[in-house]
Amino acid sequence: ANLTWPHAENRPFTRAPMTTTYTRAEVAKHASADDNWIIIDDTVYDVSKFARFHPGGRAFIDGVAGQDATKQFYSFHRQDVLRSMAAKYAIGTIADPPTGKKAVVKLAPGELSTVPYAEPSAFQGVPSPYYDDSHRRFRRDLRAFFDTEVMPDAVANDARGVHPSKELWRKLGMRGVLACRVQSGPWLKDVVENCGVQLPGGITPEQFDPFHELIAHEESSGRLGVPGYADGMGAGLVIGLPPVLQFGEPTLARRVGREVLTGEKQICLAISGPEAGSDVANVACVAKLSSCRTHYLVSGVKKWITNGVFSDYFVTAVVTKPGRKPELSLMLIERGEGVDTKPIKTSYSPAAGTAYVTFENARVPTGNVLGKIGEGFKLIMHNFNHERWYIVAGANRASRLVVEECLKWATQREVFGARLIDQPVIRNKLARLASQVEGVQAWLEAVTFAMKHTTHEEQAVKLAGPIALLKHFCTRVANDVSDEACQIFGGRAITQTGMGQVVERFQRSAKFAAILGGSEEVMADLGVRQAMRAMPNAKL
């Protein structure tokens, strides 16, 4: 099985540079089943011993003995095969390698793609009022980190359901990746000055703005092409830690913030329960104040909790006063006696750690109440704007990756004597997908600019509706991208390995963004209802 990189041109070469060069005439002399050399791109491979192990049968290998097999190779394999399995058979380079547009593009770690629409336009040479050199350094540094530290094992871990390791969590923490995925605040400066955290691209806490955070979400989730494993690297942190930092008692916020942002401990948001789902006001998890008034005893269940399987902290919505209009509060519950988590099988990888969480008289100190008792609904709504914005950032970057995959495939796949890209119907599909993804990006960047220049209170009034509609638009686009990409890739789009593996993982996970953080129907309704609040008595 090909459990390697999803778009491995970004993976660094691990073998030493080869000094031996061969002419094509020399390669042609090795053209038998027992003595078989082939050329792929600029490299010569001796596949004499490999032929009998070839998963597709040795006939394919023997059929190109002594020849340039570049075209045949890319008809069946992703470039990452050359970086992994094939590397051991490389014996030298060709004396007259392909040049110009005939040379296959291979990117170094941290290097951005030059495929049209593969990156936001501001990172493909188009002027933008939103980004400066700090943002470009920031993206390149993050890209290099994920290319070298995460991607070599990411696809295999995603396929096997392996959670990100403690070692990786610490690297994510000390390299500033985790700190850059929560909203700007004093906690950023605290972990830089007191915990040894270094921010990507050499930026300072004072330079950090919502556009750096936007880039961090794009690079940490959607671009990786491994939805479950990517969510396993901090989706719970992004939505679970902000309430602690913003509304927790200072000593609690500082302690937990440092532990989580350095990667020492993990956190998740536990709002939804099987009884309520998106109906946040009707959760059934109950917290009872002890007779000594020093702690609460929490009992109830939560479901679909991302990162819950391996989290140390649970930011939990609880009922503190039952009744027709129950009083809702938000508490930080630490893993311990009375807290149990079980994995839930979903349509994407178990690496995300999606959990069913059970609280049975879990003891929670009164100092772990976030905000004030009874303010739970308000705090949850406050957190939703940022959560939905983050979901859009990751989901649209995932859609963009699929558009890049489609463009690559359409230009290399030949069928009925022509490339896919030469078919008007394929160009029409690509045009629609690229324009939709760019439309979401433009609105996302406009909202991000507004977030940069407004307070949280102003955002609740002015941006709650637009962010809800943006999320609805984004997930509808993702649905279109998934559908059309499957048609472009055909059977490969429903095959978990090989050429269409990124599309296959995307079509299994695209609906997550349409449900989590508020379903599409709820988002559409909220957006219009918010607009009606500002609707004047205007007539036609």
Side-chain angles (χ1 to χ4, degrees), residues 231-261:
D231 276 1
M233 287 189 292
L237 173 149
V238 176
I239 61 180
L241 186 59
V244 178
L245 297 175
Q246 294 168 350
F247 306 114
E249 291 185 355
T251 53
L252 178 74
R254 187 181 302 111
R255 173 175 65 85
V256 174
R258 288 180 177 181
E259 290 174 338
V260 172
L261 293 178

Side-chain angles (χ1 to χ4, degrees), residues 417-453:
R419 300 177 305 166
L420 283 180
I421 197 67
D422 296 324
Q423 305 294 336
V425 65
I426 298 297
R427 295 198 298 271
N428 182 271
K429 290 178 184 291
L430 292 170
R432 195 157 64 88
L433 298 188
S435 59
Q436 286 180 298
V437 168
E438 290 298 328
V440 174
Q441 187 75 30
W443 195 358
L444 173 61
E445 291 176 346
V447 166
T448 304
F449 180 81
M451 290 170 61
K452 182 178 179 179
H453 295 281

Side-chain angles (χ1 to χ4, degrees), residues 7 9-10 107 111-113 115 117-120 123-124 139 143 214-225 389-405 437 440-441 444 474 477-478 481 502 506:
H7 45 149
E9 69 272 20
N10 288 330
L107 302 181
E111 195 173 355
L112 273 57
S113 176
V115 173
Y117 305 109
E119 309 283 356
F123 296 87
Q124 288 198 321
R139 189 184 290 277
R143 180 78 55 97
L214 170 61
I215 292 168
H217 294 316
E218 290 175 336
E219 295 295 317
S220 302
S221 55
R223 188 195 75 87
L224 303 181
W389 170 82
Y390 143 70
I391 289 173
V392 172
N396 199 54
R397 189 59 185 84
S399 292
R400 184 182 294 281
L401 173 63
V402 172
V403 171
E404 179 184 10
E405 293 278 305
V437 168
V440 174
Q441 187 75 30
L444 173 61
C474 172
V477 167
V481 170
V502 171
F506 182 79

Side-chain angles (χ1 to χ4, degrees), residues 281-486:
N282 287 311
V283 299
C285 194
V286 176
K288 294 181 180 180
L289 184 63
S290 65
S291 57
C292 61
R293 308 183 72 81
T294 61
H295 62 272
Y296 288 87
L297 294 176
V298 176
S299 295
V301 297
K302 298 294 180 179
K303 194 173 184 180
W304 306 291
I305 307 306
T306 308
N307 296 176
V309 167
F310 50 79
S311 281
D312 303 288
Y313 296 111
F314 303 81
V315 174
T316 309
V318 297
V319 174
T320 44
K321 184 185 292 184
R324 289 187 60 190
K325 292 185 177 180
E327 177 185 78
L328 198 65
S329 301
L330 205 58
M331 296 181 179
L332 178 70
I333 302 177
E334 299 187 39
R335 184 182 287 273
E337 187 177 353
V339 179
D340 182 61
T341 57
K342 298 175 181 177
I344 295 176
K345 292 183 178 181
T346 66
S347 57
Y348 74 173
S349 173
T354 308
Y356 186 88
V357 184
T358 303
F359 301 111
E360 293 185 359
N361 289 323
R363 189 184 179 101
V364 183
T366 54
N368 283 28
V369 173
L370 305 178
K372 297 178 180 178
I373 288 294
E375 288 187 337
F377 188 79
K378 182 178 75 172
L379 302 189
I380 293 168
M381 293 302 106
H382 180 281
N383 200 48
F384 261 145
N385 281 341
H386 180 265
E387 177 180 354
R388 291 163 181 163
W389 170 82
Y390 143 70
I391 289 173
V392 172
N396 199 54
R397 189 59 185 84
S399 292
R400 184 182 294 281
L401 173 63
V402 172
V403 171
E404 179 184 10
E405 293 278 305
C406 289
L407 281 162
K408 289 178 179 177
W409 180 240
T411 55
Q412 74 187 71
R413 170 63 168 163
E414 291 188 6
V415 61
F416 303 118
R419 300 177 305 166
L420 283 180
I421 197 67
D422 296 324
Q423 305 294 336
V425 65
I426 298 297
R427 295 198 298 271
N428 182 271
K429 290 178 184 291
L430 292 170
R432 195 157 64 88
L433 298 188
S435 59
Q436 286 180 298
V437 168
E438 290 298 328
V440 174
Q441 187 75 30
W443 195 358
L444 173 61
E445 291 176 346
V447 166
T448 304
F449 180 81
M451 290 170 61
K452 182 178 179 179
H453 295 281
T454 53
T455 64
H456 283 297
E457 290 71 23
E458 291 172 325
Q459 291 172 25
V461 175
K462 298 178 180 179
L463 296 182
I467 289 175
L469 293 180
L470 172 58
K471 182 175 181 291
H472 176 268
F473 178 37
C474 172
T475 55
R476 283 289 83 207
V477 167
N479 187 74
D480 286 348
V481 170
S482 174
D483 184 54
E484 295 289 22
C486 284

Side-chain angles (χ1 to χ4, degrees), residues 33 116 135 203 470 514:
H135 297 103
I203 69 167
L470 172 58

